[in-house]
Amino acid sequence: MKDLAEGVQRFQREVFPAKAELFVHLADNHRPTTLFIGCSDARVVPELICGSEPGELFVVRTAGNLVPAHTPGADGIAASIEYAVAVLGVSDIVVCGHSACGAMSALAEGHDLTAAPAVADWLRHADASQARAGSTHPGEVAALVRQNVLAQLANLVTHPSVARALATHTLTLHGWVYDIATGTVEELDPATGRGTPLTA
Ligand code: ZN
């Protein structure tokens, strides 16, 4: 905790003054361009990977970057998606998986999750991901990571705000996989599932 308090002091002393004008602007303006859905994994830092400034990314992070399909009823993830798309009007959504994902490893390698029942329940949202990966690459984490990103893109489309924005061509969906060891990002082709290095 001491590290965090020191970090706050360093932010106030060094980072904030250098971007003071931006923060004054952001105090009354919230217009992010992109909804970034990533894993809660501490090693996957959206703003760092994308070189984004405060105010640019609307971020949702869940274990395994899972996006449950739309169901009626209160749901924090659905509310965040709807707010980003329908209220803030983001033009892009990125679902970003990553190498060595704990959630995907647990599924691919069949870890015992009896001591973590909430995790086990949550990971059921990756049933379709496993089904997609299982037939061709059973047990392979990297393949499941890729298929999981594609399955979550499909789940996103079930959210009415996303479906509406796609129908009016005001929104584009992207599937990425980030590699922790090399810092590379692949963009996935939803049709083939194949990844190519992300280019600007
Ligand atoms: Zn992860």
Side-chain angles (χ1 to χ4, degrees):
M1 196 63 209
K2 189 164 172 289
D3 287 354
L4 297 188
E6 284 171 1
V8 169
Q9 281 187 338
R10 200 162 52 243
F11 168 74
Q12 292 169 344
R13 198 173 55 236
E14 297 166 17
V15 180
F16 186 90
K19 297 182 189 291
E21 256 181 61
L22 172 62
F23 286 116
V24 167
H25 172 74
L26 290 177
D28 298 314
N29 294 279
H30 188 204
R31 282 279 167 268
T33 58
T34 302
L35 166 59
F36 188 104
I37 300 175
C39 185
S40 301
D41 191 300
R43 301 165 295 179
V44 182
V45 183
E47 290 82 356
L48 193 65
I49 296 169
C50 299
S52 301
E53 291 291 341
E56 293 178 353
L57 296 184
F58 192 91
V59 176
V60 172
R61 292 174 71 174
T62 65
N65 45 271
L66 297 176
V67 182
H70 176 74
T71 51
D75 171 347
I77 297 168
S80 294
I81 291 167
E82 185 181 80
Y83 188 70
V85 174
V87 179
L88 298 176
V90 297
S91 59
D92 296 90
I93 301 179
V94 173
V95 174
C96 185
H98 68 100
S99 63
C101 182
M104 293 303 110
S105 300
L107 291 174
E109 296 165 0
H111 295 181
D112 178 8
L113 293 173
T114 46
V119 173
D121 272 356
W122 172 250
L123 292 182
R124 295 296 309 275
H125 290 297
D127 281 355
S129 316
Q130 275 193 294
R132 294 171 71 125
S135 54
T136 46
H137 303 280
E140 194 192 312
V141 177
L144 181 57
V145 166
R146 280 196 296 278
Q147 291 304 325
N148 181 55
V149 167
L150 298 173
Q152 305 318 307
L153 288 175
N155 283 351
L156 263 177
V157 179
T158 65
H159 289 256
S161 58
V162 173
R164 208 158 33 236
L166 288 172
T168 54
H169 307 290
T170 54
L171 182 68
T172 308
L173 307 185
H174 311 267
W176 290 5
V177 175
Y178 169 67
D179 186 72
I180 294 171
T182 62
T184 53
V185 175
E186 281 191 332
E187 178 146 37
L188 300 182
D189 179 343
T192 64
R194 223 166 266 136
T196 49
L198 183 68
T199 51

